[in-house]
Amino acid sequence: MHKKVAFGLLSLCILIAISTLSYAQSKKAQRRRTTTGGANLLKLISCCDDLKELKVQVANLTSILTDLSKKQETDWINVVMQVMDLEGNYRQVESRITEAEGKYSEMNNRIDIMQLQAAQTVTQTSAETDAVYDCSSLYHRSYKISGVYKLPADEFLGTPELEVFCDMETEGGGWTIIQRRKIGLTSFHRDWKQYKTGFGNIRGDFWLGNENIFRLTRQPSVLRVELEDWNGNLRYAEYNSFSLGNELNSYRLFLGDYTGNAGRDSLRYHNNTAFSTKDKDNDKCVDDCAEFRKGGYWYNCCTDSNLNGVYYRHGEHTKHSDGISWYGWHGSSYSLKQVEMKIRPQNFTP
Ligand SMILES: [Ca+2]
């Protein structure tokens, strides 16, 4: 009986001990679970911070992008404005040229009227005995105003009726102008036929025509070449004799002695040389000089001057080998602003 009670008590004690132990363990486990949950929460908080930081960075980048695209837009607007400005300038220059040409022709009209008045006076006062060959004959008949005159056909020189521009002022006057470059709107890259008969505007840029020059220079003549650069400097080259061969001789150039202040005599190289045009290569070169220098001229191989070259305006006049050049003054790539070639008889006295 005592043994049974003692056993029962022992069992009860063991039971109590086991349940106490398991309770403690379950508490410990519970405590452990709680610790793991805290770590996760911490992690979550720090992740939110990263996200915030990223968001700030994104916002920064977005604002930089906006700034950049705004800047690009401003740059683009600036470019468009500059293009518009340039177009405006171009139009201004164009309208200035038109205006200048208008004034020029108006001036010429006034001179025409003066010439008509002078002509009336002349016919009333002078006897018409001498034949009119050129501007020097007109000068001797007291036509002393520079401008456009009409020469009658002449049997002696074999010339047809011809409109000429007379320079009645330079070095005593009496000059018949055979070439002029000053406005730059007339192309001089022309064919044989056009150079033979002449082209352009007698008040502006023109070539009087090889046939006319040939006939006019059958009387012993002087040639004067006048040059102007883009700084307004003037130079001249004068030849005490000047004539052309006939068409069979390809209007070959014959020059006398040079005087002047145009640096080196840059027409000498072209002496005794046939005339060439884009459709007639008579030069002394393998190259086609007329095509190369874009004019009609007495090309040798090829040029020491190119007075019938391309007209380049101020700003673009210093970089081309086909411009209106006179190597002995401004070199091979400087295109002159103005040129005039004029002739008068050797025996002319004002
Ligand atoms: Ca050739």
Side-chain angles (χ1 to χ4, degrees):
M1 189 59 192
H2 286 289
K3 267 183 188 172
K4 268 188 187 172
V5 172
F7 183 74
L9 276 170
L10 188 70
S11 304
L12 190 69
C13 280
I14 288 167
L15 200 68
I16 287 165
I18 286 170
S19 43
T20 313
L21 200 70
S22 78
Y23 175 75
Q25 259 174 353
S26 85
K27 268 275 175 199
K28 208 186 268 178
Q30 214 175 4
R31 215 176 298 138
R32 212 180 296 136
R33 267 203 300 275
T34 316
T35 321
T36 320
N40 281 341
L41 194 65
L42 276 174
K43 261 189 196 165
L44 200 67
I45 287 163
S46 86
C47 173
C48 272
D49 286 346
D50 287 350
L51 198 68
K52 267 184 202 158
E53 207 171 302
L54 276 174
K55 270 187 182 169
V56 170
Q57 277 175 14
V58 166
N60 281 343
L61 282 173
T62 313
S63 91
I64 287 170
L65 260 177
T66 317
D67 282 356
L68 273 176
S69 65
K70 260 186 207 159
K71 199 181 170 291
Q72 211 174 26
E73 216 170 284
T74 329
D75 286 351
W76 177 239
I77 288 168
N78 280 341
V79 168
V80 171
M81 297 280 277
Q82 276 169 17
V83 168
M84 280 167 73
D85 270 4
L86 281 175
E87 273 179 355
N89 285 346
Y90 179 69
R91 251 177 254 126
Q92 247 177 3
V93 168
E94 246 188 348
S95 79
R96 257 183 231 157
I97 290 174
T98 320
E99 197 186 321
E101 279 183 317
K103 273 185 192 157
Y104 181 70
S105 79
E106 192 188 302
M107 233 165 65
N108 270 304
N109 287 341
R110 266 189 228 160
I111 290 171
D112 275 355
I113 292 166
M114 283 162 70
Q115 277 173 6
L116 277 173
Q117 288 166 347
Q120 277 172 358
T121 332
V122 168
T123 43
Q124 280 162 14
T125 56
S126 86
E128 297 184 33
T129 47
D130 298 333
V132 174
Y133 303 129
D134 57 10
C135 293
S136 77
S137 342
L138 282 169
Y139 184 92
H140 283 131
R141 294 174 68 153
S142 298
Y143 293 86
K144 294 186 177 171
I145 299 168
S146 296
V148 180
Y149 291 87
K150 196 163 264 180
L151 300 176
D154 187 85
E155 277 176 32
F156 170 66
L157 291 174
T159 46
E161 192 179 74
L162 183 64
E163 205 176 37
V164 290
F165 197 104
C166 300
D167 174 352
M168 300 302 202
E169 291 144 60
T170 306
E171 295 293 315
W175 299 99
T176 306
I177 300 183
I178 60 169
Q179 185 258 28
R180 189 194 289 121
R181 311 298 301 273
K182 71 184 287 183
I183 295 173
L185 300 174
T186 304
S187 167
F188 276 58
H189 194 32
R190 308 241 183 176
D191 62 22
W192 185 264
K193 208 177 156 193
Q194 286 173 301
Y195 267 99
K196 178 184 173 179
T197 54
F199 58 82
N201 183 343
I202 198 75
R203 296 169 200 280
D205 296 8
F206 70 91
W207 181 253
L208 192 63
N210 286 333
E211 191 62 30
N212 296 320
I213 300 169
F214 155 66
R215 289 179 186 279
L216 284 167
T217 57
R218 281 162 89 178
Q219 53 180 339
S221 299
V222 172
L223 169 72
R224 183 180 170 93
V225 180
E226 290 170 356
L227 312 167
E228 185 182 343
D229 70 11
W230 289 93
N231 291 318
N233 299 308
L234 301 166
R235 295 283 188 277
Y236 77 95
E238 218 172 278
Y239 299 87
N240 65 5
S241 90
F242 165 71
S243 64
L244 296 193
N246 61 15
E247 189 176 15
L248 279 173
N249 281 307
S250 303
Y251 300 117
R252 187 172 288 268
L253 172 68
F254 300 105
L255 284 176
D257 295 337
Y258 162 91
T259 48
N261 59 4
R264 191 183 67 252
D265 171 6
S266 296
L267 203 52
R268 183 66 41 198
Y269 179 66
H270 302 268
N271 192 24
N272 201 14
T273 303
F275 201 85
S276 287
T277 53
K278 62 179 179 181
D279 59 335
K280 221 165 218 164
D281 180 0
N282 291 325
D283 60 42
K284 299 175 180 170
C285 214
V286 180
D287 287 325
D288 184 350
C289 295
E291 198 55 58
F292 204 44
R293 305 295 185 189
K294 297 198 183 71
Y297 206 56
W298 303 278
Y299 289 113
N300 188 328
C301 186
C302 286
T303 48
D304 197 29
S305 60
N306 191 32
L307 301 179
N308 289 337
V310 181
Y311 194 98
Y312 289 108
R313 293 191 186 283
H314 193 223
E316 56 172 23
H317 65 290
T318 52
K319 44 186 182 275
H320 304 276
S321 58
D322 53 6
I324 304 171
S325 53
W326 184 271
Y327 288 20
W329 183 23
H330 274 301
S332 60
S333 55
Y334 187 102
S335 190
L336 296 162
K337 185 188 176 193
Q338 197 164 321
V339 177
E340 269 184 4
M341 297 170 78
K342 48 192 76 171
I343 55 172
R344 76 180 174 194
Q346 282 175 357
N347 61 8
F348 175 85
T349 42

